């Protein structure tokens, strides 16, 4: 959006609203660029008025120059947006103001079911909100230990106007006058789903905010969205957040609750819901588990389901408030839905909500730990790496379980010390990394049975040796990714797939992931354990789903690891010969269909080429076969330099180790490094941190580990 703000006397500057930075949520701060601060004549941490549909106040900070947002952008969280009556992409005016110290504060809980806190507890609100600028009519959010996040409405202040709360402010809490609890889910509460959220916002927000543009263009807004994804991935959360941000009525329907055994009751309930939505437009009708009420009519034997499907089709066709009422359906088994619902004009757009990758999981963990007292040793990036297969609800459960582990630990210590937990000082209670790791053992990932893409962090420079292999593969990957469809000569010479073969531990799987990491591609790994099923057709269906997902996330690397277990030689010798034969047949069909889709780079690895079905190796499927040989002395020296970089060994020692480690491969060398590190840590722990191995001792232990590993390697080969 390119526009020039107008500087009006007394109004300050006009800005366009965007989401807050993750760390600013709930702190009452907004951010603008340094240049705009100078134009406003204010300094960081000053108090400013934010004027949207209503007026609020906030503390201003400088925006990170690397945000890549337009110059006239202000970042604010959902609470400040609500207080100012502005949404994402709306315009607000910002100007400097003077705030006085708040002497008395009158607040009321926004939840009518919440009992007002006692006098001592009420006074703690002033401590929690200290230095927060507010004005009458604002909502403030506090984190109360043991009760979670609570929201209060500011009903009065003394003195009036913009004020700053301080620890000595006298706080009075009155009973809530609100009829029902309001939903306060905002876009900052959703992590790892930026692309999906952007698509849904375009469909829902634009018709509700700018209907005149659609009229001018002569196009009709979409009627419905179908969100497809595993349970717990965030479908309902997205729908609630979008409805809340556009101030639309949110009507939630659980699929099974609509069904009724009495004739006509289910249809009447649906008609009532759509009438209510039209009367209270703008509105969002969210149908959860829509497959339960709209199954395929050709495959169901009940008349109720057929009538309900027909009624929903009629209601969606009859929607007159185009753009002001939108239907959002959610399911994790879209193939069960009646096809008539999935055509344009009903559910016009289908959006797949995939489980988040490592970066997305890190964002989700930051959201769920936003109000947790974290110890300094908590490494959320490491937790994001460990939680492969976790969806949003799993990560929320992980954080809750970590809090419970902390609670049990603290209560046990307090009781051992003879301290009453109700009277204990909880200011030094923190959730540490060990609590998260304990919780991790108790939490199972919901999506682990799914085929999930990951973005590796390994680069080609992290692999020692294999210089020619890296050079040749890098050259081919460059052509694969940069040659456009118009460059027929370049695309004609591209290999259909890469086949890595060689002894175990020579770096086949690591090279595949390093190629993906070097070119920032997601990797979709396939293992036989996730494919084989005792039911006829399930294994073939799994292969089809893998390639379908690869096309969806392309460009990507599809890694068929240990392909000899996925595509063994077809024959009657195996107990599972029938399943294996069908699986190989389906794999060959999918590879043949995918070769034209050049954005999918298929890499297969094996250390038993003799067991792989010969049809897989013919020209046109895997044209580029790479043999990974055991490293020579120069390669081993390079691997030692990479693997033992933290051990501080001299070049002379590393050269000697490379010379005496004949026959060892990369995984053997890495194993030796781990053994030496364990010995160093063991010595350190046993001495209570007083004794540390010298470099000569480390070199000697390393030499022993290498000789032992070399002897073991020779024994295995015999």
């Amino acid at each position: 959006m390119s526009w020039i703000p107008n500087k009006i006397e007394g109004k300050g500057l006009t800005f366009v609203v965007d989401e807050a930075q993750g760390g600013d949520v709930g702190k009452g701060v907004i951010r603008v660029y340094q240049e705009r601060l100078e134009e406003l004549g204010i300094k960081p941490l000053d108090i400013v008025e934010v004027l949207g549909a209503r007026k609020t106040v906030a503390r201003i900070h400088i925006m990170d120059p690397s945000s890549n947002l337009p110059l006239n952008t202000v970042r604010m969280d959902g609470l400040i947006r609500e207080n100012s009556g502005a949404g994402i992409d709306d315009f607000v005016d910002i100007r400097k103001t003077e705030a006085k110290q708040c002497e008395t504060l009158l607040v009321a809980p926004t939840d009518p079911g919440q009992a007002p806190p006692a006098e001592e507890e009420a006074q703690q609100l002033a401590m929690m909100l200290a230095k927060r600028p507010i004005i009458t009519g604002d909502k403030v959010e506090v984190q109360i230990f043991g009760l979670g996040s609570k929201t209060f409405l500011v009903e009065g202040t003394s003195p009036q106007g913009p004020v700053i709360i301080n620890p000595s402010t006298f706080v009075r809490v009155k009973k809530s006058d609100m009829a029902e609890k309001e939903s306060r889910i905002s876009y900052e509460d959703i992590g790892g789903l930026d692309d999906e959220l952007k698509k849904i916002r375009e469909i829902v927000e634009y018709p509700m905010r700018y209907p005149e543009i659609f009229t001018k263009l002569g196009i009709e807004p979409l009627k419905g969205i179908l969100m497809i994804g595993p349970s717990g991935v965030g479908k309902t959360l997205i729908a609630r957040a979008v409805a809340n941000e556009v101030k639309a009525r949110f009507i939630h329907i659980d699929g099974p609750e609509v069904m009724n055994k009495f004739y006509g009751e289910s249809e009447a309930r649906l008609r009532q819901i759509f009438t209510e939505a039209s009367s209270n437009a703008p509105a969002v009708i969210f149908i959860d588990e829509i497959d339960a009420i709209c199954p395929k009519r050709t495959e169901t034997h009940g008349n109720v389901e057929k009538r309900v499907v027909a009624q929903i089709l009629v209601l969606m066709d009859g929607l007159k408030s185009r753009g002001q009422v939108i239907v959002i359906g959610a399911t994790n088994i879209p193939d069960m839905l009646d096809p008539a619902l999935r055509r344009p004009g009903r559910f016009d757009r289908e959006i797949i909500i995939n489980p988040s990758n490592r970066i997305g999981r890190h964002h989700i963990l930051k959201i769920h730990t936003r109000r947790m007292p974290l110890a300094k040793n908590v490494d959320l990036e490491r937790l994001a790496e460990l939680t492969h297969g976790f969806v949003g609800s799993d990560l929320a459960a992980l954080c809750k379980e970590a809090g419970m582990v902390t609670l049990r630990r603290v209560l046990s210590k307090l009781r051992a010390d003879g301290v009453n937990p109700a009277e204990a000082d909880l200011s030094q209670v923190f959730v540490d990394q060990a609590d998260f790791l304990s919780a991790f053992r108790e939490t199972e990932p919901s999506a682990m049975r799914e085929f999930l893409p990951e973005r590796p962090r390994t680069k080609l420079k992290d692999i020692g040796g294999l210089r020619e292999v890296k050079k040749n593969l890098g050259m081919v990957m460059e052509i694969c990714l940069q040659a456009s469809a118009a460059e027929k000569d370049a695309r004609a010479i591209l290999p259909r797939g890469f086949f890595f073969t060689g002894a175990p531990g020579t770096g086949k799987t690591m090279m595949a992931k390093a190629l993906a990491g070097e070119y920032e591609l997601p990797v979709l790994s396939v293992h036989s354990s996730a494919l084989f099923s005792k039911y006829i057709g399930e294994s073939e269906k799994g292969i089809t789903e893998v390639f379908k997902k690869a096309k969806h996330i392309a460009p990507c690397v599809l890694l068929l690891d240990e392909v000899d277990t996925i595509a063994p030689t077809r024959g009657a010798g195996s107990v599972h010969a029938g399943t294996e034969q069908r699986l190989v047949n389906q794999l060959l069909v999918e590879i043949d269909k995918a070769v034209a889709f050049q954005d999918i780079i298929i890499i297969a690895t094996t250390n038993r080429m003799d067991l792989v079905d010969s049809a897989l190796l013919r020209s046109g499927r895997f044209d580029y076969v790479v043999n990974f040989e055991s490293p020579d002395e120069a390669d081993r020296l390079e691997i030692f330099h990479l693997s033992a970089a933290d051990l501080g060994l001299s070049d002379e020692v590393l050269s000697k180790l490379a010379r005496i480690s004949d026959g060892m491969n990369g995984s053997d060398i890495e194993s030796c490094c781990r053994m030496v590190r364990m010995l160093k840590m063991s010595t350190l722990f046993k001495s209570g941190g007083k004794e540390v191995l010298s470099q000569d001792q480390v070199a000697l232990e390393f030499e022993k580990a290498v000789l032992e590993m070399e002897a073991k390697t020779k024994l295995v080969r015999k």
Side-chain angles (χ1 to χ4, degrees), residues 277-586:
S278 298
S279 303
N280 295 277
V284 172
I285 301 174
F286 179 69
I287 308 177
D288 206 2
E289 306 297 342
I290 191 173
D291 52 273
I293 62 173
C294 296
K296 292 180 179 178
R297 286 172 288 180
T298 56
E299 298 180 5
T300 183
H301 302 289
N303 288 327
V304 176
E305 290 85 355
K306 293 179 181 178
R307 293 198 310 269
V308 167
V309 174
Q311 183 65 72
I312 287 185
L313 295 177
V314 170
L315 289 170
M316 293 192 71
D317 286 340
L319 276 178
K320 296 179 180 178
S321 303
R322 297 304 299 267
Q324 298 303 301
V325 176
I326 191 161
V327 183
I328 301 178
T331 180
N332 56 351
I333 41 176
D335 294 338
M336 293 289 293
L337 280 179
D338 192 271
L341 269 176
R342 302 178 69 178
R343 73 158 175 81
R346 284 157 185 164
F347 284 108
D348 304 85
R349 187 76 62 84
E350 295 185 5
I351 298 176
I352 298 176
I353 314 293
N354 289 312
S356 300
N357 57 19
R358 174 180 50 81
I359 298 172
R361 293 195 299 273
H362 185 214
H363 189 190
I364 296 171
L365 285 169
K366 288 199 291 186
I367 290 172
H368 288 300
T369 58
R370 182 186 290 158
R371 299 179 179 90
M372 293 177 68
L374 298 180
K376 293 182 179 180
N377 67 345
V378 173
D379 187 353
L380 295 181
E381 288 194 9
R382 175 60 179 159
L383 292 173
E385 291 178 358
L386 293 173
T387 49
H388 178 66
F390 280 60
V391 296
S393 60
D394 296 330
L395 295 172
L398 176 70
C399 295
K400 291 177 183 176
E401 182 62 27
M404 292 302 298
V405 172
T406 305
L407 181 63
R408 289 192 289 267
R409 173 169 54 81
V410 171
L411 288 179
S412 176
K413 185 175 186 303
L414 291 175
R415 287 167 182 158
D417 295 342
V419 179
N420 184 355
E423 300 174 354
D425 178 16
L426 302 176
S427 61
Q428 298 302 313
V429 174
F430 297 100
V431 184
D432 60 28
Q433 185 80 352
D435 297 329
F436 276 100
L437 295 178
S438 297
F440 180 72
R441 290 191 286 269
E442 301 293 330
T443 310
E444 291 291 332
S446 298
M448 189 52 86
R449 295 191 65 184
E450 299 276 339
F451 299 101
L452 303 178
E454 274 294 298
R455 288 188 179 272
R457 306 175 80 174
T458 308
K459 306 288 185 181
L460 290 176
K461 62 181 177 60
D462 299 323
I463 299 179
L466 301 172
R467 287 180 292 277
E468 285 299 316
V469 172
K470 288 190 287 187
K471 178 182 176 181
N472 294 334
L473 288 175
M475 178 185 64
V476 176
M477 288 287 289
E478 290 282 352
I479 299 174
C480 286
L481 297 174
Q482 295 184 10
S484 65
E487 295 171 325
K488 295 181 180 179
D489 293 339
R491 298 187 74 82
I493 64 172
L494 293 179
R496 305 302 188 183
F498 300 92
F499 204 104
F500 294 169
T501 180
T506 50
K508 301 181 296 296
T509 303
M510 189 177 184
M511 177 63 75
K513 293 185 177 180
L515 282 171
E518 185 74 24
Y519 297 98
E520 299 182 349
L521 299 176
V523 173
L524 195 61
S525 296
V526 184
H527 301 277
S528 59
S529 58
L531 292 175
F532 279 103
S533 172
K534 65 180 180 180
Y535 299 106
I536 294 177
E538 285 298 313
S539 299
E540 301 92 296
K541 183 180 177 182
I543 283 286
T544 303
E545 288 297 321
V546 168
F547 279 83
K548 186 186 295 184
K549 177 157 287 190
K551 292 176 183 177
H552 177 69
I553 64 172
C556 69
V557 170
L558 178 58
L559 175 60
L560 305 176
D561 209 5
E562 303 295 344
V563 73
D564 53 281
T565 62
I566 301 173
T569 301
R570 287 170 287 184
S574 171
V575 178
H576 305 289
T579 301
E580 291 174 351
Q581 182 168 341
R582 292 193 304 272
L583 185 62
V584 174
N585 291 342
Q586 187 65 38

Side-chain angles (χ1 to χ4, degrees), residues 60-112:
I60 199 161
H61 286 227
I62 297 175
M63 192 188 303
D64 185 357
S66 63
S67 298
N68 295 324
L69 293 171
L71 190 61
N72 300 291
T73 299
V74 57
R75 303 190 73 169
M76 57 178 70
D77 65 14
L79 193 60
I80 300 178
R81 294 200 299 270
E82 184 178 351
N83 288 337
S84 63
I88 300 291
D89 295 333
D90 281 349
F91 298 96
V92 295
D93 292 317
I94 296 177
R95 65 186 182 192
K96 186 177 181 179
T97 188
E98 296 294 333
K100 302 176 182 178
Q101 293 296 319
C102 182
E103 298 175 2
T104 305
L105 175 64
L106 177 63
V107 297
T110 58
D111 182 1

Side-chain angles (χ1 to χ4, degrees), residues 598-611:
Q598 294 286 0
D599 287 335
I600 299 177
I601 298 167
I602 306 175
I603 299 178
T605 70
T606 183
N607 57 354
R608 292 295 305 272
M609 181 75 86
D610 56 310
L611 297 181

Side-chain angles (χ1 to χ4, degrees), residues 115-322:
E119 184 176 340
E120 293 182 359
E121 295 172 339
Q123 199 55 39
Q124 291 180 6
L125 294 177
M127 300 290 292
M128 299 175 188
L129 296 170
K131 298 183 180 180
R132 183 77 58 85
I134 59 167
I135 196 170
T136 301
D138 280 356
K139 290 180 181 177
V140 293
E141 189 177 42
V142 295
Q143 186 73 16
I144 300 176
F145 187 81
L147 298 177
S149 177
K150 299 296 179 184
T151 307
F152 294 87
L153 174 66
V154 178
E155 299 213 342
T157 63
S158 176
Q160 296 182 352
V163 294
I164 299 176
I165 303 174
N166 57 70
S168 62
T169 299
F170 178 68
V171 181
R172 292 174 51 207
V173 183
K174 58 174 286 189
K175 190 175 180 181
S176 174
D177 297 328
M178 296 188 177
E180 59 181 352
K181 184 178 180 180
E182 298 180 0
S183 172
R184 288 214 55 260
I185 298 174
S186 65
Y187 292 144
E188 287 84 5
D189 298 320
I190 301 173
L193 300 172
D194 294 343
D195 294 338
E196 295 87 346
L197 186 59
K198 181 181 179 182
K199 295 177 184 176
I200 294 172
R201 283 182 56 195
E202 289 176 351
I203 298 170
V204 178
E205 281 192 22
Y206 291 175
M208 293 184 179
R209 289 181 182 272
Y210 319 115
E212 62 280 354
I213 298 180
F214 283 81
T215 304
K216 177 68 176 177
L217 294 174
I219 58 175
E220 293 187 346
L222 304 184
K223 285 185 178 180
I225 309 170
L226 184 63
M227 291 194 289
I228 301 169
S231 300
V233 79
K235 302 185 293 294
T236 306
L237 191 67
I238 288 177
R240 287 188 180 277
V242 171
N244 184 53
E245 290 282 354
V246 297
K247 305 296 187 294
R249 178 73 173 270
F250 184 79
I251 302 174
H252 184 276
I253 306 172
D254 281 322
E257 76 177 13
V258 174
M259 307 305 290
N260 195 299
K261 65 179 180 179
F262 296 108
Y263 190 89
E265 287 294 323
S266 301
E267 299 94 301
R269 171 66 178 147
L270 287 170
R271 289 195 297 272
Q272 177 188 350
I273 289 170
F274 275 76
T275 302
E276 178 188 350
S278 298
S279 303
N280 295 277
V284 172
I285 301 174
F286 179 69
I287 308 177
D288 206 2
E289 306 297 342
I290 191 173
D291 52 273
I293 62 173
C294 296
K296 292 180 179 178
R297 286 172 288 180
T298 56
E299 298 180 5
T300 183
H301 302 289
N303 288 327
V304 176
E305 290 85 355
K306 293 179 181 178
R307 293 198 310 269
V308 167
V309 174
Q311 183 65 72
I312 287 185
L313 295 177
V314 170
L315 289 170
M316 293 192 71
D317 286 340
L319 276 178
K320 296 179 180 178
S321 303
R322 297 304 299 267

